[in-house]
Amino acid sequence: MELPLLHLALVGTPNSGKTSLFNALTGSRQKVANYPGVTVERKEGFFVTPLGRQVSVVDLPGTYSLRGRSPDEEITRDFVLGKASGETVPDLVLCVADSTNLRLTIRLLLELKRTGRPMILVLNMFDIASRRGITVDVERLAKELGVPVVTSIAVRKGGTADLLQLTDDISAKVAEPQENSWRALSVSELRATQREADRIIADCVSLPARPDTWTARIDAVVLHPVGGLIVLALILFVMFQAVFAWAQPLMDLLNSGFDALGEFVHDTLPGGLLQSFLQNGVISGVGSVIVFLPQIIIIFLFILLLEDFGYMARAAFLMDRIMGGAGLHGRAFIPLLSSFACAIPGIMATRVIDNKRDRLTTILIAPLMTCSARIPVYTLIISAFIPARDVWGFINLQGLVMFGLYATGIVSALAVSFVIKFFMIRDFAPAPFMLELPDYKMPRLKSIAIGVYTRAKMFLHRAGTTIFSMMVLIWFLASFPQPPAGATEPAIDFSLAAMIGKALAPLLAPVGFNWQIAVALIPGMAAREVAVAALGTVYAIEGGKEAAEQIGQVLATKWSLATALSMLAWYVFAPQCASTLAVIRRETGSWAWMAVTFAYMLVLAYAASLVTYNVAVAFGAG
């Protein structure tokens, strides 16, 4: 008889190696969604035990307790208690601990025990602890805690074998989960739990006489008030230089591939709507976005490597003083840094911020961070108008401009935060910033590979759905109605797209935008990358066989430098992502805050473009 699916939940403090264990157990058998009713990422994976038991495991948000002080803690608490909407009650809870730093996890486990759920304590990164001379009496620890304890090395092949075997052994004894009367700990009970955790660790864990000093040596540099900021700036600078230097060969290869495909369709199919749709709508539209995949991968690769190495927490600690001057809490740094990839997970990550006012401020400025969706727009314009040469002999000028755009987004976010916190939401008593700094460790290549693969797949999925559907719409608007017989003007001049664009053109003329840009900005509301695809489609239809030509070369002949710079300024601020606005509404629970975000970003975008365009024209770039 086939055994029923076993449901596991992974619980642990941040930086405990929970995600690495999740990847080691499930490999590529993962699916990412959101929890019902909220925008917290839900990661579920599947694996099979040695006895053939099918297992579903959910990677819960990292938490230090079940007190529910932040939305992330609430999600984990409700899931474990079986109160999460639409979720299955876990049959077994795996409490994951960093073996080099057990104190916080033992405190969490003592809270988890009170829920009545069957549980296993997983001592992860056990090899690192052993190399550092840390000795854990596993049997005594299990006896003191009253739960099974197993060691794990998530990054090593076979490092989870003992855990899988124990899962089989315990699952055979797991009964149907029962309702429980769990309640949050009082202050006195919490203090007692902390003392109990300290006692257990003193009895079961032996620390070396001379602790590892590598972490302290590195921190002496990266946490220095001045030197640390220089290191952070250099890391970000190298990352943006790499976006151009490393990605360019692969981008050129993809460009050549789509150019050749466009030529093939043009030369093979007879002229008509089918040829136009495939060449101008699909290839020139969607292809103009996909070519930026190498840059997206590089950005995510850097972020994942820094997270795995243990640097992100240091960066947050280092930025606390600077961000505090703008009215932001130090914990806001990680959500804002996550927004460099995408504002949506960045906004979701604000759930780790306890104070509601701090959380709201961070949500409102997260869209100003330069997300990966802006990269196609930035790269297209920079490649077309900024020379590919070095300055000072070693700095790529295009990468320097990209770095400047990112820096502008950061500075503007801090400025807006200052205005919000000190003029709109007055709160002069920020909560103290406390953050656990994990030990440094070598990045886990398998986890990095899975993370990059997952995000690349999400980007391609977006290109195949949202962007493709927008391109079908743009192609239709740019192709119909057909020009009358004998017309000498380009066919697109008679289209619905031209009518819409020319109607909006007077509003955008002061910032140097033409009607083609106006057409691209509208579908760009669905996703910023769509603007690139829309420009590719519009100019391809307008140019006929020039559809196979790189869109950047077309823009260089159609736009002035002033218009290009104005477009860059627009995209630093423009609220062109409907999904981000929807997440803001859901996270704040208010349509009003979504409208405020849209309005202030639109005003900033128009003002920045207006100033940029007129200054550029004054200097002869018009």
Side-chain angles (χ1 to χ4, degrees):
M1 183 178 69
E2 185 177 351
L3 294 173
L5 183 67
L6 183 68
H7 297 276
L8 268 59
L10 282 182
V11 181
T13 61
N15 303 307
S16 63
K18 194 161 48 66
T19 299
S20 294
L21 180 60
F22 177 78
N23 290 335
L25 291 172
T26 62
S28 60
R29 299 184 63 193
Q30 302 176 8
K31 58 182 181 181
V32 180
N34 284 339
Y35 288 96
V38 295
T39 50
V40 174
E41 188 179 81
R42 180 187 188 279
K43 292 177 67 177
E44 182 180 15
F46 302 88
F47 65 93
V48 180
T49 67
L51 293 181
R53 184 76 178 263
Q54 296 285 335
V55 179
S56 163
V57 56
V58 174
D59 185 9
L60 294 172
T63 182
Y64 292 104
S65 77
L66 300 182
R67 285 170 286 170
R69 296 182 306 171
S70 68
D72 265 2
E73 288 185 356
E74 292 174 0
I75 287 289
T76 299
R77 179 197 64 196
D78 291 346
F79 193 99
V80 172
L81 295 177
K83 296 181 179 179
S85 175
E87 296 288 353
T88 302
V89 179
D91 300 309
L92 183 63
V93 174
L94 302 183
C95 185
V96 184
D98 176 356
S99 296
T100 66
N101 188 6
L102 289 173
R103 181 167 282 102
L104 293 176
T105 303
I106 297 300
R107 293 174 183 174
L108 174 61
L109 183 137
L110 293 175
E111 279 193 83
L112 287 168
K113 278 188 64 179
R114 299 175 67 250
T115 67
R117 295 283 176 250
M119 190 178 310
I120 297 175
L121 173 61
V122 183
L123 301 181
N124 200 22
M125 295 182 273
F126 200 71
D127 57 332
I128 298 177
S130 298
R131 286 200 302 268
R132 294 179 182 175
I134 300 173
T135 304
V136 181
D137 188 334
V138 176
E139 293 185 3
R140 184 170 183 179
L141 182 60
K143 183 178 179 181
E144 290 279 359
L145 293 173
V147 300
V149 178
V150 64
T151 62
S152 169
I153 306 171
V155 297
R156 182 179 298 173
K157 186 176 182 181
T160 59
D162 292 343
L163 173 60
L164 294 176
Q165 184 61 56
L166 185 58
T167 300
D168 259 333
D169 295 342
I170 293 181
S171 64
K173 307 172 187 177
V174 169
E176 188 70 22
Q178 301 296 317
E179 290 295 322
N180 59 79
S181 56
W182 181 91
R183 61 174 177 79
L185 295 175
S186 66
V187 175
S188 60
E189 288 173 324
L190 180 61
R191 289 173 179 168
T193 299
Q194 292 172 344
R195 286 194 298 268
E196 176 67 4
D198 291 342
R199 183 194 65 78
I200 292 173
I201 291 173
D203 290 343
C204 304
V205 180
S206 298
L207 298 176
R210 298 184 61 185
D212 175 67
T213 59
W214 276 109
T215 292
R217 291 174 185 173
I218 298 174
D219 280 348
V221 177
V222 302
L223 294 182
H224 189 275
V226 177
L229 290 174
I230 295 174
V231 171
L232 177 60
L234 286 174
I235 289 173
L236 295 177
F237 183 78
V238 169
M239 180 168 69
F240 302 136
Q241 289 283 305
V243 165
F244 277 93
W246 298 358
Q248 198 58 52
L250 288 175
M251 291 179 65
D252 290 342
L253 184 63
L254 288 172
N255 254 323
S256 300
F258 282 111
D259 289 348
L261 186 59
E263 288 281 8
F264 174 78
V265 169
H266 181 274
D267 297 339
T268 304
L269 296 179
L273 291 178
L274 178 60
Q275 182 205 73
S276 175
F277 172 72
L278 292 177
Q279 181 185 11
N280 303 325
V282 177
I283 298 172
S284 292
V286 178
S288 62
V289 173
I290 292 178
V291 295
F292 297 102
L293 177 62
Q295 293 182 318
I296 303 295
I297 289 175
I298 288 174
I299 286 288
F300 279 115
L301 177 63
F302 267 90
I303 291 176
L304 291 170
L305 283 172
L306 292 174
E307 286 179 346
D308 232 28
F309 183 62
Y311 181 74
M312 285 301 194
R314 269 82 181 173
F317 181 82
L318 192 65
M319 291 295 292
D320 178 53
R321 182 177 299 178
I322 295 175
M323 299 178 71
L328 283 171
H329 193 275
R331 283 189 182 274
F333 177 76
I334 293 178
L336 293 180
L337 193 61
S338 298
S339 297
F340 281 134
C342 178
I344 292 175
I347 292 170
M348 289 158 44
T350 62
R351 289 173 168 261
V352 303
I353 302 174
D354 297 341
N355 184 281
K356 291 184 179 180
R357 294 181 178 182
D358 290 332
R359 190 184 312 144
L360 176 60
T361 302
T362 308
I363 287 172
L364 295 181
I365 67 170
L368 289 173
M369 297 293 102
T370 302
C371 67
S372 60
R374 288 181 172 98
I375 291 178
V377 181
Y378 286 171
T379 304
L380 172 67
I381 298 174
I382 291 173
S383 299
F385 291 91
I386 305 300
R389 60 182 177 85
D390 291 339
V391 294
W392 301 308
F394 65 97
I395 297 178
N396 182 280
L397 180 60
Q398 294 179 332
L400 185 62
V401 173
M402 177 76 86
F403 179 76
L405 293 171
Y406 273 75
T408 301
I410 294 170
V411 172
S412 63
L414 294 176
V416 171
S417 171
F418 181 86
V419 172
I420 291 174
K421 286 294 294 269
F422 292 97
F423 293 97
M424 296 176 61
I425 308 176
R426 299 180 67 85
D427 183 6
F428 294 101
F433 180 46
M434 293 185 296
L435 181 68
E436 180 188 8
L437 297 180
D439 288 344
Y440 292 106
K441 51 184 176 289
M442 291 301 296
R444 304 165 181 87
L445 296 182
K446 181 178 179 180
S447 294
I448 298 295
I450 291 175
V452 171
Y453 168 76
T454 301
R455 286 156 178 80
K457 185 170 68 173
M458 292 171 66
F459 175 78
L460 291 175
H461 180 265
R462 187 169 178 170
T465 54
T466 302
I467 296 175
F468 176 77
S469 61
M470 289 295 101
M471 285 312 93
V472 172
L473 175 62
I474 288 294
W475 173 82
F476 176 82
L477 293 176
S479 300
F480 296 96
Q482 294 284 297
T488 56
E489 296 88 347
I492 197 171
D493 285 352
F494 299 92
S495 68
L496 293 170
M499 297 176 193
I500 296 172
K502 290 174 181 178
L504 294 173
L507 295 175
L508 298 174
V511 300
F513 291 177
N514 55 26
W515 71 262
Q516 290 93 340
I517 296 177
V519 171
L521 292 180
I522 297 173
M525 286 298 301
R528 290 181 173 93
E529 313 99 309
V530 173
V532 172
L535 288 171
T537 296
V538 169
Y539 280 118
I541 292 176
E542 185 177 25
K545 191 174 180 178
E546 290 180 3
E549 189 177 7
Q550 293 184 10
I551 181 62
Q553 297 173 1
V554 177
L555 296 186
T557 63
K558 302 285 186 179
W559 296 2
S560 67
L561 177 60
T563 293
L565 295 176
S566 177
M567 187 73 162
L568 289 175
W570 177 276
Y571 265 90
V572 170
F573 302 101
Q576 294 213 213
C577 181
S579 299
T580 298
L581 294 173
V583 169
I584 291 174
R585 190 210 66 78
R586 182 177 290 181
E587 287 295 305
T588 61
S590 168
W591 288 96
W593 286 119
M594 184 193 78
V596 166
T597 305
F598 179 84
Y600 95 75
M601 292 186 70
L602 188 62
V603 170
L604 285 179
Y606 197 93
S609 293
L610 184 65
V611 172
T612 301
Y613 179 73
N614 284 282
V615 169
V617 169
F619 279 90

